[in-house]
């Protein structure tokens, strides 16, 4: 019996290690490739034969404009996340607490709008933004990104608010709070885990967005990081700068990893605190 339990534990750990290795293998190969010399880029060894940072220096060459692209991505993704959370928090609270006709249908339509493929709306948006002079502006990338991030944020937060008992607000109102004060002082702090989780999902989706940013900008100064990476040029006309693209991929991934690590403690702390606190 003890042996069987040990075998089960061993198989469990082996399965976890296999899944983690499978998920991290592309990121590991991207990191290793970014540290290879240009002459060794097609080397298949697990470690670079000679560590070189020339790819990272090439990424920040002024001709690439990658620093500006990172700033653009931060502005677009940050603005999309803040606006989506602001609207979604109030909308989700209303959907979770208020009773009105066709509420389920409205919530279904909200989540259904995020199922449309991006390519189906790019051409109409491009025509609209050209007519109103929004091409090569931040709002031309933020507004379409919100159209996909907002429904998902509303759905996630609605499910989270529904799990919170109504007695929390009633108790706060008995103590003298208005409905708005109960929402601001009681519900929002307890909903922090769901809000942070939704923020992470929204930020990652907006940070990685490519097609909209590619279609709505044609000036290098307004391109986001994914678009800038796709347009990296090599030393010659027919050379593909794989090393520089790998290095840029590592740099683009770092903010996402840091954000998840920073918010992870807040999420876990909020989940373990619970509503009873």
């Amino acid at each position: 019996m003890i042996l069987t339990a040990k075998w089960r534990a061993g198989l469990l750990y082996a399965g976890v290690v296999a899944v983690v290795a499978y998920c991290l293998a592309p990121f590991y190969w991207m990191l290793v490739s970014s540290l290879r010399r240009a002459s060794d880029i097609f080397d298949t060894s697990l470690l670079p034969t000679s560590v070189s940072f020339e790819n990272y220096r090439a990424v920040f060459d002024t001709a690439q404009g990658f620093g500006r692209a990172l700033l653009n991505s931060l502005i677009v993704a940050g603005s999309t996340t803040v606006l989506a959370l602001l609207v979604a928090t109030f909308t989700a609270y209303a959907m979770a607490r208020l009773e009105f006709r066709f509420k389920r249908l409205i919530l279904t339509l909200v989540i259904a709008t995020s199922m449309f493929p991006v390519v189906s709306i790019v051409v109409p948006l491009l025509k609209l933004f050209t007519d109103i002079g929004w091409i090569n502006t931040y709002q031309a990338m933020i507004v379409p990104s919100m159209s996909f991030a907002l429904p998902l944020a509303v759905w996630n937060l609605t499910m989270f608010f529904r799990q919170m008992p109504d007695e929390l607000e009633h108790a706060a109102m008995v103590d003298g709070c208005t409905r708005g004060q109960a929402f601001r002082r009681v519900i929002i702090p307890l909903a922090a885990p769901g809000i942070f989780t939704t923020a992470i999902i929204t930020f990652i989706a907006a940070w990685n967005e490519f097609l909209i940013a590619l279609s709505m900008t044609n000036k290098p100064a307004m391109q986001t990081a994914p678009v800038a990476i796709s347009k990296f040029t090599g030393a010659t006309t027919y050379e593909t700068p794989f090393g520089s693209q790998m290095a840029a991929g590592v740099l683009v991934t770092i903010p996402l990893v840091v954000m998840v690590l920073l918010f992870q403690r807040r999420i876990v702390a909020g989940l373990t605190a619970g509503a009873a606190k």
Side-chain angles (χ1 to χ4, degrees):
M1 186 68 181
I2 298 177
L3 182 62
T4 303
K6 289 183 178 180
W7 272 104
R8 289 179 179 176
L11 290 175
L12 176 61
Y13 288 125
V16 171
V17 170
V19 172
V20 172
Y22 178 80
C23 295
L24 294 182
F27 299 100
Y28 172 77
W29 192 253
M30 180 173 63
L31 176 62
V32 170
S33 300
S34 70
L35 296 174
R36 299 186 193 277
R37 297 174 299 184
S39 57
D40 300 331
I41 192 61
F42 293 107
D43 187 5
T44 57
S45 60
L46 294 179
L47 294 174
T49 55
S50 179
V51 177
S52 173
F53 293 95
E54 63 181 60
N55 293 320
Y56 290 91
R57 290 193 293 268
V59 166
F60 287 103
D61 186 353
T62 55
Q64 304 287 10
F66 187 68
R68 175 68 186 185
L70 281 177
L71 178 61
N72 291 337
S73 289
L74 181 61
I75 293 174
V76 172
S79 300
T80 301
T81 302
V82 172
L83 293 175
L85 284 180
L86 183 63
V87 176
T89 300
F90 291 103
T91 304
Y93 181 76
M95 296 295 294
R97 289 292 191 260
L98 301 182
E99 293 296 334
F100 52 89
R101 296 180 62 186
F102 308 116
K103 183 173 73 170
R104 186 178 297 274
L105 176 62
I106 292 174
L107 190 59
T108 302
L109 292 176
V110 167
I111 193 62
T113 57
S114 65
M115 298 181 183
F116 290 99
V118 179
V119 68
S120 66
I121 66 171
V122 166
V123 174
L125 286 178
L126 184 61
K127 178 65 169 63
L128 173 63
F129 292 165
T130 301
D131 293 340
I132 63 178
W134 273 20
I135 299 299
N136 291 314
T137 61
Y138 289 123
Q139 58 265 31
M141 294 179 280
I142 294 173
V143 172
S145 296
M146 281 191 61
S147 65
F148 293 97
L150 189 57
L152 182 60
V154 170
W155 179 270
N156 287 341
L157 291 177
T158 299
M159 298 301 106
F160 194 85
F161 283 133
R162 281 181 177 177
Q163 297 176 0
M164 303 179 67
D166 297 343
E167 288 76 9
L168 293 172
E169 294 137 293
H170 296 163
M173 294 173 68
V174 168
D175 290 338
C177 290
T178 62
R179 186 83 181 203
Q181 290 173 335
F183 173 73
R184 186 176 68 254
R185 297 179 180 180
V186 178
I187 301 301
I188 290 297
L190 293 177
I195 293 175
F196 279 118
T197 303
T198 305
I200 292 173
I201 297 173
T202 303
F203 186 89
I204 292 176
W207 181 267
N208 294 329
E209 200 287 317
F210 174 77
L211 185 57
I212 293 175
L214 177 65
S215 304
M216 302 304 167
T217 60
N218 52 39
K219 292 183 179 179
M222 293 301 300
Q223 293 175 352
T224 58
V227 177
I229 294 174
S230 69
K231 295 185 178 181
F232 275 3
T233 57
T236 61
T237 304
Y238 299 101
E239 178 187 359
T240 301
F242 294 111
S244 299
Q245 291 177 341
M246 293 293 182
V250 172
L251 295 174
V252 169
T253 306
I254 288 176
L256 302 181
V257 175
V258 172
M259 184 183 67
V260 171
L261 292 177
L262 289 177
F263 286 156
Q264 183 182 19
R265 182 173 299 178
R266 295 287 302 272
I267 294 172
V268 174
L271 288 173
T272 55
K277 184 176 179 180

